Amino acid sequence: MCGLTGYSGQFSPELLASMTKAIAHRGPDGEGVWVNGDKTTGLGHRRLSIIDLSDNAAQPMNGVGNRYHVVFNGEIYNFKKLSQYLDSKGYVYNENSDTAVLAPLYDDLGPDMLKKLNGIFAFAIYDSQKDELFIARDHLGIKPLYYNQNSDGVLFSSEIKSFTHYPKLDKSIDDVAMVSYMTHLWSPGERTMFAGVKKLLPGHFMVVKGGKIKDIKRWYQPPLPRMSPKGPAYQKDLTPADLYKTFENCVQRQLVADVPVGAFLSGGVDSSAIVASMVNVGQKPKKAYCIQPQAKAMKKEGFSDDGKYAKMVAEHLGVDLTLIEADEATLDDMEAVAFQLDEPQADPAAVYVQTISQKAKQDGIKVLMTGTGGDDVFSGYRRHSAIMLKDKLSALPTGAMGAGLKKAARLIPSNTLSRRLDKLGGILGESLNKSLLNAFNFNDLGDVAQLLGKDRVQGWQAQGRGALKQALEESNGHHPLNRMLYMELFGFLPDHNLNYTDKMSMAEGVEVRVPFLDVELLNFAAKLPIHQKYGGGQAKRILKQAFEPYLPKKVLYRSKAGFGAPVRSWMTGEAGQKVLEELTSGNAKMAEYLDKQELLNVYNNTQAQKSDGSYTLLALYMVELWLRKFK
């Protein structure tokens, strides 16, 4: 797990050095740069030593003689198995390093080598004979990769902040992306706040030659259930024991490391399943970590006491648990993480990921296992329950029902119940396709239109949901829940959860692994009938059944808990006043984009509990902070 940078074109080695230094936090164990003879290609690397701690695994790494040079961020979990294949082909390389398998594998198979990799990765391979770069990102975008095409050539990096060292970087703002960050809290697909900086999409590779992008292709598509001529194919039920065995395989495969491995343990189903599996395969986490915020405001806003459940799991499994007692995240914490996040994400959960990673680093733990992805693969969000209800009521005129729920939400003071009623009303009251898209809206699009202008929002409606619309179209004809789960993998997961998890853990030099997103488990989940994902009013039904022999039922069947901070309490207190002052000051970067009167309306209505604009205000503030730090 590391950080990489590079270029193709007319750039200086000094720029490469600056770009690499900008992501030093990603790799505290070593630094390396390599430039070809005519200086038209450069590769930079920061190393976090996880597999093969020796200098033999330092990067940039050459391979197959000196034909290839490689920089790599991630882990290839099946590298030992791939070594057997490469040995049969006669290749000579460092068999103790997962990075070392990439060059010979590419030499043998070309881009098809990607289909043999089981891991999390972003990497670049320079072929000196062809004088071209092959750049790839893993199947679900677990590891980040950004690029910028400009008049001098192509730049790429694990983080956007590297590009700010290029003096001629076009810092034009992408209005469509801005609306996405305001509406979703993340930007689906390739767009970022910089119009010229793109994300290489998950499951894609890129070929660069002579300072120009020669090709971008998709190499992986998440699985959907097989279709029959009459509609979705409902397979036979799979057994919870089958799921458990598959899951255990994935966890064991991802435990490969030459350093101690720990785990997140919130006491929820997903993280508890990870830790139970680690124990069952004989690789108990050195330590498990849980945040226990000490604040009444957390309970008021629907956050439960994770510590109680985490202790229950730890005692049941005999695991060493560290409860990190802390005040809830604050607005000041959000300001501190804004630069590290690279993107203006208004989610306080990022603060806690960094807090846990910080503690793990202090304890000498470089790798943490997490349950991220469980909700997205097996169904665990409230929007999944809402779409199941919509499907169940499909024969009824749900438009009137949806309008009624939204009206009821407006008649009561703004609180957790009113917000959920409003969201449910929006899902029930729209056509299926519109409901599926709007289920991913975190802030009201009407409010965003009033704040940023209708023209920007209309542009966003035409272009801004690219990745989500693609997933919507590709899943056409499938059950609504499977369609929504498929959409999770094209936006919320890679562009929100995985982004802040990567950025905030790597800020502390800690690697996070995600067994729920192992390709083997994705293939298993695609075969499940709907009622095994969501049945009897129970989300993640088969997953909970699979772990009944290993975990307390109080943990498996606890209510869904959030992971965040009391943002609504912030915005009705001093923090809200600070946000308003910052956004209306003469120095505000948002001044050219924002309607100040509408901002006042959102703020005043939130104070009076007429509507809930708390996350709208936080999203505005995060965009403001991003503009100050990057533009």
Side-chain angles (χ1 to χ4, degrees), residues 590-603:
M590 282 293 287
E592 63 180 289
Y593 307 99
L594 187 60
D595 186 314
K596 285 189 179 180
Q597 184 55 53
E598 290 300 329
L599 170 63
L600 286 170
N601 291 342
V602 171
Y603 176 79

Side-chain angles (χ1 to χ4, degrees), residues 135-196:
I135 303 170
R137 192 177 179 200
D138 64 50
H139 58 299
L140 291 183
I142 298 161
K143 303 314 299 173
L145 200 289
Y146 301 91
Y147 66 93
N148 167 243
Q149 172 80 71
N150 55 65
S151 59
D152 291 326
V154 177
L155 301 171
F156 59 92
S157 177
S158 296
E159 299 191 9
I160 291 175
K161 54 184 64 68
S162 288
F163 303 131
T164 62
H165 291 266
Y166 174 53
K168 293 191 286 184
L169 179 68
D170 179 359
K171 294 187 176 182
S172 300
I173 297 302
D174 187 325
D175 284 350
V176 171
M178 181 184 286
V179 175
S180 285
Y181 287 113
M182 284 298 305
T183 305
H184 296 311
L185 308 187
W186 41 272
S187 179
E190 67 176 6
R191 292 177 182 270
T192 74
M193 281 287 285
F194 283 136

Side-chain angles (χ1 to χ4, degrees), residues 210-477:
K212 293 184 179 179
I213 296 170
K214 182 178 172 183
D215 199 8
I216 296 180
K217 285 186 178 178
R218 185 180 191 179
W219 67 268
Y220 177 82
Q221 181 173 345
L224 275 163
R226 290 190 301 273
M227 297 286 285
S228 73
K230 297 181 180 179
Y234 291 89
Q235 296 93 344
K236 293 181 180 178
D237 285 10
L238 301 177
T239 71
D242 286 339
L243 171 56
Y244 177 78
K245 185 59 181 175
T246 301
F247 190 78
E248 188 179 86
N249 288 343
C250 297
V251 170
Q252 187 163 30
R253 179 163 47 239
Q254 296 196 18
L255 285 169
V256 59
D258 294 329
V259 295
V261 178
F264 286 79
L265 180 57
S266 69
V269 177
D270 303 331
S271 63
S272 299
I274 298 285
V275 174
S277 297
M278 292 175 72
V279 171
N280 291 347
V281 301
Q283 291 183 258
K284 184 185 295 186
K286 183 176 180 182
K287 281 183 179 291
Y289 298 91
C290 178
I291 290 282
Q292 191 171 36
Q294 303 296 296
K296 293 181 180 179
M298 296 288 282
K299 293 182 179 179
K300 183 179 178 182
E301 294 202 19
F303 298 103
S304 66
D305 181 5
D306 283 346
K308 176 176 70 174
Y309 294 97
K311 284 190 285 187
M312 194 182 302
V313 173
E315 289 171 5
H316 183 78
L317 298 173
V319 169
D320 183 1
L321 174 69
T322 296
L323 280 174
I324 304 172
E325 295 189 359
D327 291 333
E328 77 275 7
T330 67
L331 194 66
D332 289 342
D333 291 324
M334 296 304 293
E335 183 173 351
V337 305
F339 182 70
Q340 202 61 53
L341 280 171
D342 259 352
E343 302 181 44
Q345 294 180 260
D347 192 336
V351 176
Y352 297 131
V353 172
Q354 185 173 24
T355 301
I356 288 175
S357 299
Q358 213 169 48
K359 178 58 179 164
K361 181 174 69 172
Q362 292 170 3
D363 292 338
I365 294 175
K366 285 186 174 183
V367 177
L368 289 171
M369 303 284 273
T370 179
T372 297
D375 290 319
D376 310 84
V377 174
F378 289 98
S379 88
Y381 297 124
R382 292 187 181 93
R383 56 178 170 262
H384 302 153
S385 301
I387 210 68
M388 287 295 290
L389 179 61
K390 182 177 179 68
D391 183 64
K392 189 174 183 179
L393 300 176
S394 59
L396 300 176
T398 55
M401 187 183 302
L405 287 171
K406 290 182 77 66
K407 183 177 180 180
R410 290 192 294 270
L411 292 175
I412 60 177
S414 178
N415 56 28
T416 301
L417 176 61
S418 66
R419 290 188 296 274
R420 291 177 183 172
L421 286 176
D422 185 71
K423 189 73 176 284
L424 179 59
I427 291 174
L428 292 180
E430 299 286 357
S431 66
L432 177 59
N433 280 0
K434 194 169 183 180
S435 292
L436 287 166
L437 284 170
N438 288 348
F440 291 91
N441 292 359
F442 204 91
N443 287 321
D444 183 81
L445 191 58
D447 287 345
V448 176
Q450 294 297 321
L451 287 162
L452 299 182
K454 292 181 180 178
D455 289 345
R456 283 196 179 90
V457 170
Q458 286 172 355
W460 175 82
Q461 288 173 319
Q463 306 174 58
R465 299 189 193 243
L468 289 176
K469 278 188 176 179
Q470 179 183 342
L472 186 73
E473 292 165 2
E474 290 178 352
S475 62
N476 189 39

